[in-house]
Amino acid sequence: MKIVVGHLYPEYLNIYADRGNIAVLQRRAAWRGHELEVQAVSADDTLEPGAHDLLYIGGGQDREQALVAHDLKGKRNQLLAAADGGAAVLAVCGGYQLLGRFYRFANGEELPGVGLFPLHTIAGERRMIGDILLDTELVPGERRTIAGFENHAGRTYLDEGAEPFGRVVAGFGNDGASGAEGCRVGRAIGTYLHGPLLPRNPWLADWLLAHAVAHRTGGEAPILAPLTDDLERDAHAVSAQRARDRGGRF
Ligand code: GLN
């Protein structure tokens, strides 16, 4: 089967090894006999709802975010329609912030967001940097730790009742205080974790791929053939331990 990924603004939002995340999706799809085609969706490109099974938007600093925010806002309706139609979404760091309602700089100026995630972000003074470990339950009854690295000054505040991606075991998370990290709306996940994220959390890559396949077929998310994942498990364990050693929260 062919799975089509729309990579939003790869020339701007790419600072946190985002290519590594895409490479993992590509390889894990290929190992299951699927072809993963990655299409760049850049400024002035049209985003066609339904054309992509998975949308990816990566990390960038304030400057890059400012360069794409208004173009992204122009794609708002199409992006919401794509997610509503069941496309999987992974948004990392700067991209995660822009899929919320707005991102406010320290000087009070604001970048508009898309509003896919029920949250907003306000820049703080102190950067929240380091290894981070989460406890997640994307599939009911299946708890998984997710390990990564965070580096952000923005504090993200979820609306009342919004579902975080995970709970912080060690690290800062959305705002350094609530214990919540990221946000999930259906098949869309936003998170501050990069590092890159997917090589050390292969089950998250598979969750995204399975939902991308479900979007393509219009059916249920399939159970993908298991892979050995020895190296991936080791990478996860090392990263998780680093976060645990770092200890407490903000
Ligand atoms: N504006 C962001 C911040 O909070 C950028 C996030 C990122 O991708 N590093 O620092």
Side-chain angles (χ1 to χ4, degrees):
M1 177 179 312
K2 182 147 122 184
I3 301 166
V4 183
V5 174
H7 188 171
L8 287 149
Y9 310 105
E11 69 282 47
Y12 291 109
L13 300 178
N14 56 20
I15 53 170
Y16 289 124
D18 294 293
R19 264 180 342 131
N21 286 334
I22 298 283
V24 166
L25 291 170
Q26 219 145 18
R27 185 46 69 101
R28 296 185 76 80
W31 279 331
R32 272 68 170 250
H34 300 309
E35 183 195 343
L36 194 105
E37 181 185 323
V38 183
Q39 297 176 354
V41 183
S42 302
D44 300 327
D45 288 344
T46 310
L47 176 64
E48 215 175 295
H52 304 102
D53 305 306
L54 191 156
L55 289 167
Y56 182 85
I57 181 164
Q61 293 299 352
D62 291 12
R63 184 175 164 278
E64 288 78 29
Q65 289 177 283
L67 288 171
V68 305
H70 294 278
D71 186 86
L72 181 63
K73 196 183 166 210
K75 294 178 169 56
R76 176 179 186 271
N77 292 343
Q78 290 83 344
L79 208 144
L80 295 182
D84 207 40
V89 179
L90 179 60
V92 174
C93 214
Y96 164 49
Q97 294 174 343
L98 289 179
L99 294 197
R101 273 196 307 276
F102 63 84
Y103 174 62
R104 187 180 300 153
F105 294 109
N107 68 6
E109 279 175 39
E110 275 180 19
L111 293 179
V114 162
L116 170 64
F117 295 122
L119 56 86
H120 65 274
T121 303
I122 300 179
E125 277 173 13
R126 199 167 136 199
R127 293 196 76 75
M128 300 193 273
I129 307 178
D131 295 285
I132 173 167
L133 185 66
L134 310 179
D135 191 9
T136 65
E137 194 173 335
L138 287 182
V139 181
E142 251 186 59
R143 283 176 64 182
R144 296 274 194 188
T145 51
I146 297 278
F149 190 88
E150 60 182 327
N151 180 358
H152 53 108
R155 273 89 173 128
T156 293
Y157 301 99
L158 300 182
D159 289 2
E160 192 71 36
E163 184 185 345
F165 169 45
R167 308 299 308 173
V168 176
V169 177
F172 296 109
N174 278 340
D175 58 2
S178 63
E181 203 293 321
C183 188
R184 177 189 177 186
V185 174
R187 292 174 179 174
I189 288 178
T191 179
Y192 276 114
L193 273 63
H194 45 77
L197 171 67
L198 298 182
R200 51 181 108 174
N201 301 287
W203 39 86
L204 178 59
D206 282 356
W207 185 89
L208 290 163
L209 280 176
H211 287 87
V213 168
H215 175 265
R216 171 102 337 204
T217 61
E220 293 285 300
I223 295 174
L224 299 174
L227 301 171
T228 317
D229 284 339
D230 288 341
L231 276 173
E232 291 80 352
R233 253 191 298 274
D234 286 353
H236 178 84
V238 168
S239 184
Q241 194 53 48
R242 272 206 306 255
R244 285 197 183 96
D245 290 346
R246 168 190 172 190
R249 299 224 312 266
F250 197 45

